[in-house]
Amino acid sequence: AQKITQTQPGMFVQEKEAVTLDCTYDTSDQSYGLFWYKQPSSGEMIFLIYQGSYDEQNATEGRYSLNFQKARKSANLVISASQLGDSAMYFCAMRELGRGNNDMRFGAGTRLTVKP
Amino acid sequence: ETGVTQSPTHLIKTRGQQVTLRCSSQSGHNTVSWYQQALGQGPQFIFQYYREEENGRGNFPPRFSGLQFPNYSSELNVNALELDDSALYLCASSRLRQGVSTGELFFGEGSRLTVL
């Protein structure tokens, strides 16, 4: 069974600094995808970044990067140069690829607060 | 803006009633998934619809049912509402990228259901 663990219920970061949000996962499949989503108070889940299990390089998307350590089964999100608008809930998620379904499993989330 | 729209945005029901939630997927997406997000938790997969048929289901009882229409829009129906059904219900659609599904989901802003 898949399992996503986010051990940080809440995190604080000073504006313009970098922050790392932790995520570990558990799966017996070799082919899977890892995702990070941002959820502001409006409720919409906003896709941030994707990492495939066979990708050799860490994914980057603007200020977001994913620190993928396959052997440790971790997929931490790094946000550089934090902005006030980054304050939100952040969810790590995983899906087994190739099945053609969208059974994406989410962690419990981390609430990030950016301080001015 | 993901192009996924959900209605209604908020609604209040009483125990035992039935509810129907609606979702219009992003243009070109043929798969719709529904998630339940209880307060303070990550989204939980309810089921997925692909080409008008259920294509995967999470750990939810049969009183949770759905439909997908030829235009790929979808409905989530919940019968015999219980207090624990109070949650944000998220709809998500997906697309192919360069002929390959990355599994990225595009979410709507959700329908917040309160059961009294």
Side-chain angles (χ1 to χ4, degrees), chain B residues 86-108:
Chain B
S86 294
L88 179 68
Y89 288 84
L90 294 163
C91 167
S93 67
S94 67
R95 68 179 183 183
L96 300 180
R97 178 184 290 174
Q98 296 178 342
V100 177
S101 173
T102 65
E104 176 184 342
L105 296 179
F106 294 82
F107 285 86

Side-chain angles (χ1 to χ4, degrees), chain B residues 29-66:
Chain B
H29 291 190
N30 57 11
T31 303
V32 173
S33 296
W34 286 90
Y35 286 81
Q36 181 195 65
Q37 186 178 17
L39 196 62
Q41 298 182 21
Q44 300 292 315
F45 176 69
I46 302 175
F47 44 55
Q48 175 199 73
Y49 276 83
Y50 173 66
R51 295 185 176 178
E52 303 178 49
E53 293 189 357
E54 187 177 293
N55 182 39
R57 188 180 184 93
N59 189 25
F60 281 82
R63 59 189 185 84
F64 285 78
S65 63

Side-chain angles (χ1 to χ4, degrees), chain A residues 39-58:
Chain A
Q39 187 178 43
S41 56
S42 62
E44 183 177 357
M45 300 283 281
I46 302 168
F47 168 74
L48 296 178
I49 196 167
Y50 165 81
Q51 179 87 40
S53 58
Y54 292 116
D55 293 341
E56 294 185 354
Q57 292 192 338
N58 287 342

Side-chain angles (χ1 to χ4, degrees), chain A residues 33-95:
Chain A
L34 297 159
F35 306 80
W36 278 91
Y37 282 85
K38 171 184 178 182
Q39 187 178 43
S41 56
S42 62
E44 183 177 357
M45 300 283 281
I46 302 168
F47 168 74
L48 296 178
I49 196 167
Y50 165 81
Q51 179 87 40
S53 58
Y54 292 116
D55 293 341
E56 294 185 354
Q57 292 192 338
N58 287 342
T60 60
E61 290 283 351
R63 295 187 298 111
Y64 305 108
S65 61
L66 199 152
N67 183 1
F68 181 45
Q69 297 186 44
K70 192 171 182 177
R72 298 178 61 182
K73 294 188 174 179
S74 74
N76 298 340
L77 176 70
V78 180
I79 305 175
S80 62
S82 296
Q83 302 172 356
L84 295 178
D86 294 335
S87 294
M89 285 292 292
Y90 288 80
F91 291 95
C92 178
M94 179 176 67
R95 189 175 79 84

